[in-house]
Amino acid sequence: MKLQDICYLKECYVYSTSYRFCFSHLALAPSTTIGPLNGDMSKTVNITWHRKDRRLLPELHGQIRESAETYGLEDFEIFAKLAFTHPEGPRKALETLAEMPKGMGDNHFPLPLSLIPHIGLFVPTKWPTPQEMARGRDIWSKRAAQLAAAGNSYG
C-alpha cells in the first residue's frame, strides 16, 4: 500500500508505504515520510510504525497529514532532531515532549498523542549538526533537572 498527500499551504508532502525496505542491516516497514516539496531531503522526517500496526497505515497517514497541514514540516524537523538527542531514545523523547505543558511560547507538539504507541522510530533523515546535538542534550539535561527538582524522572 502506498499513500501520498501534498500539503500545498505548508509546502510539504506526506508519503506512507506498507512495503518493507532495507538499509544495510535495518529493515523498515511500514513508514511515513514528511518532506519538503522543493526536494531538499535534508529536512525530511521519517516515522517508522510498528509492524503490527501495518493495517492501521491509512489512519496513521491521515493523522500525520492533518498535523502536517496544521504545523508544517519545520515543526516535525525540530521535534525529530530534539527526539534524536534524548538520552533514552526518540520514543521516550516523544512521550516526554507530549507530557510537557502546552501553549507556552513555541511549545506545541505536532503529533496527536494517540499516535505515540504506534511509533517505532521518529527521526530526521539528516544527522543533526554538532550544534543541534549539543543544544538538544542541553534541553534534555535541563528537563531532567526540572523533573528531579519536582521528584520525578524520565521513567
Side-chain angles (χ1 to χ4, degrees):
M1 168 186 340
K2 293 181 182 179
L3 304 165
Q4 179 177 315
D5 286 291
I6 297 175
C7 307
Y8 290 104
L9 292 176
K10 297 295 184 173
E11 297 183 11
C12 66
Y13 67 86
V14 178
Y15 174 82
S16 296
T17 182
S18 62
Y19 298 114
R20 182 182 174 121
F21 58 96
C22 299
F23 292 115
S24 179
H25 63 283
L26 298 174
L28 307 171
S31 68
T32 297
T33 300
I34 305 103
L37 291 179
N38 69 8
D40 181 1
M41 295 303 287
S42 69
K43 298 188 180 307
T44 303
V45 173
N46 183 267
I47 301 169
T48 302
W49 308 104
H50 293 296
R51 289 183 191 159
K52 67 180 176 55
D53 296 324
R54 183 184 307 252
R55 64 183 170 70
L56 300 174
L57 189 59
E59 179 185 332
L60 300 171
H61 173 89
Q63 290 183 47
I64 293 296
R65 186 200 73 244
E66 289 175 15
S67 291
E69 288 172 344
T70 301
Y71 297 104
L73 174 62
E74 185 177 0
D75 285 0
F76 279 93
E77 183 186 10
I78 290 167
F79 276 91
K81 288 181 178 181
L82 184 58
F84 189 82
T85 64
H86 193 282
E88 294 181 48
R91 172 70 185 276
K92 187 62 178 175
L94 292 177
E95 293 169 356
T96 302
L97 289 166
E99 293 173 359
M100 293 175 75
K102 309 292 184 274
M104 298 177 67
D106 291 332
N107 185 19
H108 53 272
F109 189 64
L111 295 172
L113 300 182
S114 62
L115 292 182
I116 293 175
H118 304 286
I119 294 175
L121 289 172
F122 182 80
V123 294
T125 55
K126 183 179 179 189
W127 193 276
T129 66
Q131 296 83 6
E132 290 168 329
M133 292 291 286
R135 183 171 172 257
R137 289 182 181 127
D138 184 53
I139 289 169
W140 291 121
S141 175
K142 289 178 182 174
R143 181 64 179 156
Q146 289 173 341
L147 291 171
N152 298 319
S153 68
Y154 280 134

